């Protein structure tokens, strides 16, 4: 086998990125397959983007809580703590799910 020979990719790769014309034939040169780990690296990168977006949304929620406290929103310390813990758990759950997928 030569490095320029084509190898067959798993069907899930073409399904994961249906708009990538280069993946639809499910063929990739041996040197690319061996050297890049392309699909797994890309999935990990996409999961990272999703996790960062989730963290950004949680920061926005924290900012709203802080604003509510500052404007006399009537939140108790227990309510604030519960909201923070729920957000942290949601982030950990999302991270765990993303890591399982990659």
């Amino acid at each position: 086998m030569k490095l320029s020979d084509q190898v067959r990719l798993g069907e899930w790769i073409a399904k994961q990125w249906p708009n990538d014309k280069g993946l639809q034939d499910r063929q990739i040169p041996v040197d690319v397959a061996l050297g890049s780990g392309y699909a797994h690296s890309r999935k990990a990168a996409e999961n990272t983007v999703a996790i960062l977006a989730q963290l950004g949304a949680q920061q926005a929620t924290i900012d709203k809580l802080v604003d509510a406290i500052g404007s006399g929103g009537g939140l108790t310390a227990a309510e604030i703590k519960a909201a923070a813990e729920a957000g942290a758990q949601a982030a950990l759950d999302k991270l765990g799910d993303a890591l399982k997928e990659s």
Side-chain angles (χ1 to χ4, degrees):
M1 183 175 276
K2 297 177 185 174
L3 290 177
S4 60
D5 287 348
Q6 299 286 314
V7 293
R8 196 115 172 103
L9 294 172
E11 190 173 322
W12 72 271
I13 294 172
K15 286 181 181 178
Q16 180 68 40
W17 299 287
N19 296 325
D20 284 9
K21 292 179 184 175
L23 298 177
Q24 295 314 303
D25 64 1
R26 294 181 50 210
Q27 300 279 328
I28 193 167
V30 171
D31 61 342
V32 174
L34 291 173
S36 71
Y38 176 79
H40 292 289
S41 298
R42 182 166 173 182
K43 187 67 177 167
E46 290 173 354
N47 285 339
T48 299
V49 169
I51 291 166
L52 291 174
Q54 177 69 25
L55 290 173
Q58 289 172 350
Q59 184 60 53
T61 300
I62 290 168
D63 292 343
K64 287 180 183 178
L65 284 170
V66 170
D67 288 344
I69 293 167
S71 65
L75 294 174
T76 67
E79 290 170 326
I80 294 166
K81 182 179 178 186
E85 288 173 351
Q89 187 60 54
L92 288 172
D93 292 344
K94 195 89 158 165
L95 177 59
D97 291 343
L99 291 174
K100 287 177 191 173
E101 290 178 16
S102 59

